[in-house]
Amino acid sequence: MQIRRITAMLALLIFAASVSKAQELPTKEAVMDQMVLTNQYFMEKWPDPGQNVITNKERTSNLWTRAVYYEGLMALYGLKPDKAYYDYAVKWGASHGWDLRNGTQTRHADNHCAGQTYIMLYEIDQQPERIEHIQSSIDGMMDTYKINDWDWIDALQMAMPVFAQLTSLTGDAKYSERMYEMYMDTKVTQGLFNPHDDLWWRDSDFRPPYAEPNGNDCYWSRGNGWVVAAMVRTLEFLPADDPHRFEYVQMLQRMLKAVLPVQRTDGFWNVSLHDPTHFEGKETSGTALFLYGMAWGVNNGLLEKEVYMPAIKKAWNAIASESIHDNGFLGYLQGTGKEPKDGQPVTYTSKPDFEDYGLGCFLLAATEMYKLVD
């Protein structure tokens, strides 16, 4: 009996030690190694960044999915200024003449997403053609009174940072003021934010009476992750004295507080935040976006470290140990869509219709983890 009790205690101690080890912070070297690995996989797969993307149809590579990848690449470049990264991004922009998908006249947020990287590359080397089209497109929107273009929440991440960047670049607050008006239209007038749960319905299709199988509201993980990323990137680019800055800070804090208790025990978030049985399972992109927001919030003193660090560690270790293949491919990545059922099944080996935006989300999260390790 005594031997059996000692054996049980040893097993318990070994299990506790393994759990503790699994929730340790990674080293800076480990984080950088995984960023380099996953990014190298993608760059080798797409040696020509201007090559059209073919899935169910052919698209130019300045589409939103690829633009999100370049957000992540530029974040990596900020930590590791490898000329190959810079050249890859410049070649991408130049291959499209620094223009937007569907042309300068577009008002669509997805098409504006490429402008985030164009502007960042302009700030490195101020060649006017790098911002000519994106600024012209936003100015065209500003010449009208229409503010209800962003009728799906992904749009906030795609376009809000561009308006914030243009304000910082030009010193003209007209861009940030219009951004605020459009954001508030999405939030309040269109009513896509639910202040009772501090989460967003993806678009009007998912507002009540629409419900998940368990009867709860449908809050799509990646959709809410896009809003988290929108707040982070807007705050990064927006001047410190912007009168609406607190709105974005508060939104980030409210949302991350709301997703904290629905994190899975394994560190991931389900595709459906309030119905864990609706296409339950691990999912990388939404998890990476929440991790990005939490790590950035801690790094910038907007979130309590002692409250969020356990979730941050669990999320990082989940992605790092379970999503990343030996060759750098990211598993458990939901394909494009707008709700939990899209892009299913999501597994370790399943290949989404687009891989690029998932890598962008991971690189954004990983760069903040790298800083957090300090």
Side-chain angles (χ1 to χ4, degrees), residues 74 77 86 90 117-127 130:
M74 294 304 294
Y77 178 72
Y86 175 77
V90 169
T117 297
Y118 293 172
I119 295 171
M120 294 181 78
L121 291 171
Y122 171 81
E123 291 175 326
I124 296 171
D125 183 359
Q126 297 190 2
Q127 299 183 30
R130 294 186 177 184

Side-chain angles (χ1 to χ4, degrees), residues 63-131:
L63 78 166
W64 73 266
T65 66
R66 191 59 52 87
V68 172
Y69 159 70
Y70 281 99
E71 293 176 40
L73 179 64
M74 294 304 294
L76 171 57
Y77 178 72
L79 298 178
K80 183 181 174 65
D82 188 325
K83 187 175 182 296
Y85 300 159
Y86 175 77
D87 290 346
Y88 193 67
V90 169
K91 187 176 179 182
W92 173 65
S95 70
H96 299 291
W98 304 96
D99 203 354
L100 309 175
R101 188 163 185 262
N102 297 326
T104 304
Q105 299 303 314
T106 185
R107 299 179 63 98
H108 202 284
D110 285 353
N111 300 330
H112 288 147
C113 191
Q116 295 187 43
T117 297
Y118 293 172
I119 295 171
M120 294 181 78
L121 291 171
Y122 171 81
E123 291 175 326
I124 296 171
D125 183 359
Q126 297 190 2
Q127 299 183 30
E129 63 269 22
R130 294 186 177 184
I131 62 165

Side-chain angles (χ1 to χ4, degrees), residues 191-203:
L192 297 186
F193 177 66
N194 183 358
H196 300 292
D197 290 331
D198 286 337
L199 294 170
W200 296 68
W201 295 293
R202 197 271 180 178
D203 55 49

Side-chain angles (χ1 to χ4, degrees), residues 5-78:
R5 187 178 297 118
I6 292 172
T7 303
M9 288 179 65
L10 284 172
L12 185 61
L13 287 170
I14 292 169
F15 174 75
S18 67
V19 170
S20 175
K21 188 175 188 302
Q23 302 313 327
E24 290 177 358
L25 275 174
T27 64
K28 294 175 77 70
E29 292 76 13
V31 177
M32 181 58 70
D33 286 348
Q34 290 184 306
M35 283 193 282
V36 170
L37 173 68
T38 53
N39 185 67
Q40 192 63 34
Y41 165 83
F42 186 82
M43 288 179 62
E44 289 177 355
K45 182 174 181 177
W46 294 89
D48 177 6
Q51 178 184 342
N52 284 358
V53 181
I54 302 175
T55 54
N56 61 325
K57 66 177 184 179
E58 189 167 354
R59 299 172 175 87
T60 55
S61 72
N62 54 354
L63 78 166
W64 73 266
T65 66
R66 191 59 52 87
V68 172
Y69 159 70
Y70 281 99
E71 293 176 40
L73 179 64
M74 294 304 294
L76 171 57
Y77 178 72

Side-chain angles (χ1 to χ4, degrees), residues 91-348:
K91 187 176 179 182
W92 173 65
S95 70
H96 299 291
W98 304 96
D99 203 354
L100 309 175
R101 188 163 185 262
N102 297 326
T104 304
Q105 299 303 314
T106 185
R107 299 179 63 98
H108 202 284
D110 285 353
N111 300 330
H112 288 147
C113 191
Q116 295 187 43
T117 297
Y118 293 172
I119 295 171
M120 294 181 78
L121 291 171
Y122 171 81
E123 291 175 326
I124 296 171
D125 183 359
Q126 297 190 2
Q127 299 183 30
E129 63 269 22
R130 294 186 177 184
I131 62 165
E132 176 184 356
H133 293 290
I134 183 60
Q135 187 169 7
S136 177
S137 184
I138 301 302
D139 284 344
M141 295 180 71
M142 303 280 291
D143 287 339
T144 73
Y145 293 104
K146 188 174 187 295
I147 60 171
N148 63 349
D149 295 88
W150 299 340
D151 56 8
W152 77 110
I153 61 175
D154 313 29
L156 301 183
Q157 194 286 142
M158 306 301 158
M160 281 183 68
V162 171
F163 285 76
Q165 286 172 295
L166 288 173
T167 288
S168 294
L169 191 66
T170 66
D172 195 335
K174 69 179 183 181
Y175 296 109
S176 56
E177 284 299 314
R178 175 57 64 91
M179 174 185 72
Y180 176 74
E181 292 171 358
M182 296 181 71
Y183 160 82
M184 290 301 289
D185 180 85
T186 306
K187 176 187 174 185
V188 179
T189 307
Q190 298 184 50
L192 297 186
F193 177 66
N194 183 358
H196 300 292
D197 290 331
D198 286 337
L199 294 170
W200 296 68
W201 295 293
R202 197 271 180 178
D203 55 49
S204 60
D205 291 347
F206 298 96
R207 293 177 59 187
Y210 184 93
E212 292 285 77
N214 70 352
N216 287 331
D217 284 1
C218 179
Y219 299 120
W220 182 38
S221 176
R222 187 165 70 233
N224 279 273
W226 288 136
V227 183
V228 166
M231 298 304 103
V232 168
R233 293 181 66 75
T234 296
L235 288 166
E236 279 195 321
F237 299 129
L238 200 63
D241 60 353
D242 185 88
H244 309 299
R245 190 175 182 88
F246 180 69
E247 163 66 29
Y248 311 130
V249 169
Q250 189 179 50
M251 179 56 66
L252 179 66
Q253 292 171 330
R254 291 173 69 177
M255 290 186 70
L256 293 177
K257 183 178 180 181
V259 301
L260 193 61
V262 294
Q263 185 181 27
R264 292 161 52 100
T265 56
D266 61 14
F268 289 93
W269 275 268
N270 288 300
V271 291
S272 181
L273 295 176
H274 281 194
D275 188 349
T277 65
H278 193 208
F279 295 98
E280 62 182 312
K282 304 166 185 178
E283 202 286 307
T284 298
S285 63
T287 299
L289 290 167
F290 294 142
L291 171 60
Y292 174 47
M294 289 181 181
W296 187 89
V298 169
N299 283 334
N300 288 272
L302 299 180
L303 297 176
E304 302 91 338
K305 187 173 184 179
E306 62 276 10
V307 173
Y308 286 90
M309 280 304 293
I312 288 170
K313 292 176 185 178
K314 284 169 60 179
W316 171 261
N317 288 319
I319 295 174
S321 64
E322 298 189 53
S323 292
I324 302 173
H325 289 230
D326 290 342
N327 67 350
F329 172 76
L330 282 175
Y332 297 115
L333 178 61
Q334 186 183 20
T336 56
K338 57 186 275 184
E339 59 180 306
K341 73 175 180 60
D342 292 329
Q344 297 289 344
V346 176
T347 68
Y348 177 66

